[in-house]
Amino acid sequence: MRAITILLATLISTMSLIAQQKTTRYTVKSGYIKYELSGSITGTKEVWWDNYGAYHCEEVNSTTTVKMFGIKDVQKEHMLTIMKNDQVWTVDYTSNSGTKSKLPYYNESHKMVENMSEEELKDFSNELLQQLGGEKMSTESFMGYKCDVMKVMGCKSWIYKGICLKSTAKVMGITNNETAMVFKPGQKVSASKFTPPTNIKYEDMEQHMPSGFWGDTDDEDNDTDYKEDMKQVKKIANMPYADFKKMMQKENPDMSDEEIKRIYNMTKAFGGQ
């Protein structure tokens, strides 16, 4: 069902927007940050951004070590991800391969947030955080910057103006940490950082997805489709739980009760807007 796909994709996309001001990813126009990775994943992660995060480049060079049932598995990774608005390129330097795609329902999630007042945006953000079992714990200083300390789904993060300077996560006994070593907010970033390498052959992932998956465009017909789809999404978001569960199990037979309940709680928050 198209409406279910839009509902889930829009919720996920919006989660990356609601903590910021309107549709900007960060509240700092440009900058650079380098993290040390520790725990089961060791190495470094570097991030460059411009236009308040609409342009984003991330490079990870890491080693993942997992021990289970006496078996040790070690995997090395060198990945590059570039995002320019809704366009995404990924490069796997270990296999010298790449992909290109679009962020699903990028326009839809932006439209939804743009139509909210500042107070509605704040309320929606807080409600979704609560539905996910998260909380704002305190305000702390890290690297000399005043950060909001957030905890959600086993992950604790130190956030400065939408930028995560530190995070710790422990899931099933596996600990992963990201800690900023270098942070340069406001630093100008060369446009070349957001240009995909030309020596890589990119597989177009859009060709492998069903028609309409990537959301609307700016033409009138698609805008009409968007409005009709959102009416259906609102209807789904206000279903009684028993009906919602039955619908989700029909579309996703392997989905657990816990997963369905979590999605239901998020859709209730969404449907109230």
Side-chain angles (χ1 to χ4, degrees):
M1 185 184 294
R2 176 179 165 86
I4 295 176
T5 303
I6 293 175
L7 172 63
L8 299 180
T10 302
L11 282 170
I12 293 169
S13 298
T14 304
M15 285 298 292
S16 67
L17 300 174
I18 57 176
Q20 321 308 331
Q21 292 182 353
K22 290 298 180 185
T23 57
T24 60
R25 182 169 186 163
Y26 305 133
T27 58
V28 178
K29 184 179 185 297
S30 62
Y32 167 75
I33 186 166
K34 183 176 183 178
Y35 301 91
E36 177 186 23
L37 308 179
S38 61
S40 63
I41 302 177
T42 59
T44 60
K45 181 171 83 171
E46 295 179 274
V47 174
W48 298 261
W49 76 91
D50 200 357
N51 196 22
Y52 299 96
Y55 287 13
H56 192 263
C57 175
E58 178 178 303
E59 185 168 0
V60 177
N61 203 328
S62 65
T63 300
T64 302
T65 304
V66 178
K67 296 180 181 179
M68 294 186 69
F69 308 111
I71 301 175
K72 182 178 179 180
D73 181 55
V74 179
Q75 294 186 359
K76 293 186 179 295
E77 180 180 82
H78 187 187
M79 297 289 296
L80 177 72
T81 303
I82 294 174
M83 291 188 287
K84 294 179 70 172
N85 298 316
D86 64 339
Q87 302 294 316
V88 183
W89 295 263
T90 64
V91 176
D92 184 344
Y93 286 114
T94 60
S95 62
N96 202 39
S97 62
T99 66
K100 61 179 181 179
S101 62
K102 291 173 63 178
L103 290 173
Y105 300 99
Y106 178 89
N107 291 330
E108 281 83 348
S109 59
H110 277 66
K111 283 182 181 179
M112 187 184 75
V113 175
E114 285 174 347
N115 290 331
M116 291 184 187
S117 67
E118 292 294 335
E119 190 63 30
E120 288 174 331
L121 191 66
K122 182 179 179 180
D123 290 344
F124 185 39
S125 173
N126 290 335
E127 190 166 356
L128 275 182
L129 183 65
Q130 291 173 5
Q131 298 291 3
L132 289 171
E135 61 177 323
K136 179 179 177 181
M137 302 180 66
S138 61
T139 300
E140 295 181 10
S141 178
F142 180 74
M143 297 184 74
Y145 298 95
K146 186 177 179 181
C147 300
D148 290 327
V149 183
M150 314 289 287
K151 187 175 183 180
V152 59
M153 299 178 71
C155 180
K156 186 177 179 182
S157 303
W158 284 253
I159 309 294
Y160 171 74
K161 294 188 175 182
I163 304 162
C164 182
L165 296 184
K166 178 182 177 182
S167 67
T168 62
K170 188 172 184 178
V171 180
M172 298 179 63
I174 299 175
T175 301
N176 290 318
N177 306 309
E178 293 186 3
T179 307
M181 299 185 295
V182 180
F183 181 42
K184 297 181 178 180
Q187 176 177 284
K188 291 185 178 181
V189 181
S190 170
S192 63
K193 277 294 178 185
F194 311 108
T195 302
T198 57
N199 61 337
I200 298 292
K201 183 177 180 180
Y202 295 93
E203 180 180 6
D204 190 349
M205 302 306 292
E206 193 170 353
Q207 296 178 357
H208 302 293
M209 301 307 295
S211 176
F213 177 80
W214 303 104
D216 72 347
T217 59
D218 292 330
D219 62 62
E220 184 176 349
D221 288 341
N222 278 298
D223 188 60
T224 301
D225 289 341
Y226 165 75
K227 291 177 181 178
E228 290 301 316
D229 286 332
M230 292 309 293
K231 287 181 181 178
Q232 293 299 314
V233 167
K234 293 284 187 177
K235 183 177 179 180
I236 292 171
N238 287 283
M239 279 184 174
Y241 177 67
D243 294 340
F244 184 89
K245 180 178 178 180
K246 185 183 296 184
M247 178 188 68
M248 293 301 292
Q249 287 178 329
K250 182 179 179 180
E251 296 291 327
N252 305 274
D254 297 329
M255 186 172 288
S256 69
D257 289 347
E258 183 179 353
E259 289 174 318
I260 295 174
K261 186 67 175 180
R262 181 176 296 162
I263 294 172
Y264 179 73
N265 287 336
M266 292 176 67
T267 61
K268 294 301 290 183
F270 178 82
Q273 301 302 321

